[in-house]
């Protein structure tokens, strides 16, 4: 029997992660799914079983480096390697930049940034030792390419994921490693992300205040999206095959990136023109 190609997905119990797992199953891959929510994970497992995909389901808190290390070891023990890794699990808080509590920062940085870092630290050295071609996809957000009011903590972590992923790709290229990287940057779409507090550990309780206008903007943005989690998963798999780094599913993200870049360049040019005159 030949060994299947293997994908690992974190945050696979819901939303984009679940759809990434299903998309990998449709690619005829074996799938290692992990999440902090065991019931949601079991539901994704049932969906993979229905598709006939070989599956390993393991509970894992991505902010905990030891949990992620166990996930990598279990993947290697079961299938001897991993071809695609999706560092996808994420959470969000809303509110003014000055109102976020220390616990908000610790929780969201721990999941969104350190979750990705932990994935890379546990899986990439094993991928390098194996020497086979592989692909790492880190889920950032349109909020990792542009910024908006009420999202300082979330935006900070997602910008960090973009920067980290760009550096990771450069380091792997420098090392002539056969491992590619993509960074996934969706805008708002329907998922469980607006109910992230369900996964907040009691030890990090205590959010800053959130203006209802920010919550309303998220609800409206999700409802208005013509792109759904399944579309994002399909576009991500296409991007892996096409060896594309940035995966930007929503059309409107281009304009946000353009506005931000233009403002940077306008301010840059003002200073430098003043210096020339
Ligand atoms: N839905 C959107 O509008 C949107 C937009 C841009 C980016 N994203 C990003 O997409 C990714 C997936 O989010 P989603 O929208 O599918 O939300 P979701 O809430 O539907 O799914 C996130 C999953 O991550 C799991 N999770 C939470 N904390 C975890 C932890 N500590 N360890 C392991 N798993 C954990 C949750 O249980 C859940 O199953 C996130 O990184 C999110 O920031 C989402």
């Amino acid at each position: 029997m030949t060994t299947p190609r293997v994908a690992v997905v974190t945050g696979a119990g819901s939303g984009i992660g679940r759809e990434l797992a299903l998309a990998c199953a449709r690619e005829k891959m074996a799938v290692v799914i992990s999440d902090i929510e065991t019931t949601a994970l079991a539901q994704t497992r049932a969906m993979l079983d229905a598709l006939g995909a070989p599956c390993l389901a393991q509970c894992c808190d991505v902010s905990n480096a030891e949990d992620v290390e166990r996930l990598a070891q279990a993947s290697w023990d079961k299938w001897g390697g991993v071809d695609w890794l999706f560092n996808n699990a994420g959470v969000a808080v809303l509110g003014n930049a000055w109102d976020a509590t220390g616990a908000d920062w610790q929780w969201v940085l721990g999941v969104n940034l350190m979750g990705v870092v932990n994935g890379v630290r546990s899986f990439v050295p094993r991928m390098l030792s194996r020497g086979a071609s592989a692909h790492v996809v880190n889920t950032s957000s349109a909020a990792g390419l542009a910024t908006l009011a009420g999202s300082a903590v979330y935006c900070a972590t997602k910008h960090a994921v973009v920067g980290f992923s760009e550096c990771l790709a450069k380091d792997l290229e420098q090392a002539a490693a056969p491992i590619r990287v993509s960074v996934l940057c969706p805008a708002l779409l329907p998922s469980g992300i607006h109910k992230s507090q369900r996964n907040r550990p009691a030890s990090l309780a205590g959010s800053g205040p959130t203006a209802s206008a920010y919550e309303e903007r998220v609800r409206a943005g999700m409802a208005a999206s013509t792109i759904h989690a399944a579309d994002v998963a399909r576009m991500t798999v296409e991007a892996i095959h096409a060896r594309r780094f940035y995966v930007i599913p929503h059309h409107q993200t281009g304009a946000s990136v353009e506005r931000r870049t233009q403002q940077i360049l306008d301010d840059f040019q003002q200073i430098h023109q003043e210096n020339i005159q």
Side-chain angles (χ1 to χ4, degrees), residues 114-267:
M114 293 315 294
V116 172
V117 171
N118 289 336
V120 167
R121 290 187 64 220
S122 284
F123 283 84
V124 170
R126 286 177 166 89
M127 287 171 166
L128 287 168
S129 301
R130 184 174 170 232
S133 52
H135 206 112
V136 177
V137 179
N138 296 329
T139 303
S140 175
S141 168
L145 299 172
T147 51
L148 70 174
S151 299
V153 179
Y154 186 72
C155 276
T157 64
K158 293 301 186 178
H159 275 254
V161 169
V162 171
F164 177 72
S165 303
E166 288 180 4
C167 290
L168 172 65
K170 289 188 167 130
D171 290 351
L172 288 166
E173 198 182 332
Q174 192 92 354
I179 305 171
R180 296 243 165 200
V181 181
S182 297
V183 65
L184 171 57
C185 301
L188 280 170
L189 57 87
S191 79
I193 193 92
H194 60 304
K195 294 183 256 165
S196 292
Q197 295 283 341
R198 71 192 187 279
N199 291 310
R200 188 169 177 144
S203 59
L204 295 177
S207 250
T210 303
S212 57
Y214 292 147
E215 283 169 352
E216 187 42 45
R217 188 192 63 204
V218 168
R219 263 194 296 275
M222 282 184 160
S225 180
T226 54
I227 305 272
H228 291 84
D231 303 313
V232 170
R234 179 180 43 77
M235 289 179 198
T236 306
V237 167
E238 281 167 13
I240 293 174
H241 289 306
R243 300 177 157 206
R244 203 174 298 130
F245 179 80
Y246 296 104
V247 191
I248 304 175
H250 290 74
H251 187 258
Q252 72 265 25
T253 306
S256 310
V257 172
E258 216 166 3
R259 270 194 302 276
R260 179 170 183 265
T261 310
Q262 196 56 56
Q263 196 191 338
I264 294 170
L265 292 174
D266 286 351
D267 286 357

Side-chain angles (χ1 to χ4, degrees), residues 8-22:
V8 176
V9 185
T10 68
S14 173
I16 295 169
R18 173 174 285 172
E19 293 297 338
L20 285 169
L22 294 173

